Structure formats: C-alpha cells, structure tokens
Amino acid sequence: MSADADARGEPTLAAIGFDRADGGLRLGATRIAPDLAIDALPPAFRVGPLQQLQVEGLSVPCRFAEADLRDDAPGERGRRIGLQLRFERGVWVSAFCVLRGAGATAHRRWLQRKLGAFEGIEPGCRWGVAEDRSGDPHAFVHNRNWR
C-alpha cells in the first residue's frame, strides 16, 4: 500500500482480497490478520473514537477504522472502495466494503470475485451483502472473531 496517496487525500491503490480460512484481509502485499490490533493498522486507515453500540441486544464497546481505497486487483480497474473495519471489545470482527455508486448486485459480484461465492459461511468466516439503515448496500466479511 502507498501511504503517499493517503497523505494527498486520494484513495490508496491496493489489490483487495480476503482469506476464506479466517476472514483476514489483504491490501496489496499487506496482510491484516484477525488478531491485528487497531493501533497496528497501516497508515491509510483513520481510526475513530470508542463508542457503545447495540450488537444483538447487548451494549458493546466498538471502534471503527476507515480507509478509502482503489481496488487494483486484476479485473477491478481501480474501482473505488470505502472500507470500514469494526473492532468490538478491542478485537477486529468485521469488514464492511462500499463500492461507490453501485447496487447490491455489483456488491455480490465483487464478493464472488474475492471469495468465490455470492454469500457464504466457512469455518473461519462469513460474508454477504446487506443494507445500512438508509437502504444503501454494502459487502461484509465477518472474520473468525465474529460470533
């Protein structure tokens, strides 16, 4: 990943990929494993404040880390991606990916290229497409830390 692109306010260019075995994330040559601490993220990520969220009826301390990326993987042609990582109780559990200006079908196809299936549950992770409260679609990948 290029930290220079982020310093200029432009999306960082990196081939994005996920590991089906554990839900880990690859950004170019950088691997973000499920056990990575939020303060060890690459410089392209902006880390937000601690907040209490309702997760399955429980109040859970969460932090989010966000990055604006351009997916440089083969066939993606630098597609712009908004990537958000959610940490619950200090542990990374989920990645949320928004393809700028794309609908749910485009998100499903993107996930299929990344993970080989529209939606899935593997022993190490789960993925699919959902909508936020505004009805906008996003792709999600829950890693092995997700309940």
Side-chain angles (χ1 to χ4, degrees):
M1 286 179 23
S2 167
D4 295 336
D6 188 59
R8 292 190 309 268
E10 299 172 8
T12 298
L13 189 64
I16 300 171
F18 294 96
D19 185 340
R20 289 176 75 116
D22 65 5
L25 173 65
R26 289 183 311 282
L27 300 174
T30 302
R31 173 156 161 71
I32 299 176
D35 58 354
L36 185 76
I38 198 167
D39 59 351
L41 286 168
F45 284 90
R46 297 172 309 282
V47 177
L50 183 66
Q51 50 188 303
Q52 291 294 126
L53 297 180
Q54 290 295 314
V55 179
E56 297 180 348
L58 299 174
S59 181
V60 178
C62 295
R63 289 182 77 186
F64 292 89
E66 298 181 5
D68 293 319
L69 305 170
R70 289 205 177 268
D71 191 350
D72 196 27
E76 297 300 333
R77 299 186 305 258
R79 175 188 289 275
R80 190 162 179 188
I81 307 289
L83 176 65
Q84 184 180 67
L85 304 181
R86 183 173 76 203
F87 290 76
E88 295 179 6
R89 296 179 181 96
V91 177
W92 175 39
V93 295
S94 301
F96 303 99
C97 309
V98 176
L99 284 63
R100 308 284 189 214
T105 300
H107 283 80
R108 283 186 188 93
R109 289 182 184 141
W110 184 79
L111 270 182
Q112 183 177 28
R113 290 191 299 275
K114 301 300 172 185
L115 291 159
F118 287 122
E119 296 193 53
I121 298 174
E122 292 285 321
C125 65
R126 177 178 181 252
W127 63 92
V129 174
E131 293 181 353
D132 65 16
R133 291 183 183 126
S134 302
D136 296 323
H138 63 273
F140 66 86
V141 177
H142 299 311
N143 66 33
R144 69 176 182 220
N145 297 323
W146 185 78
R147 38 187 161 269

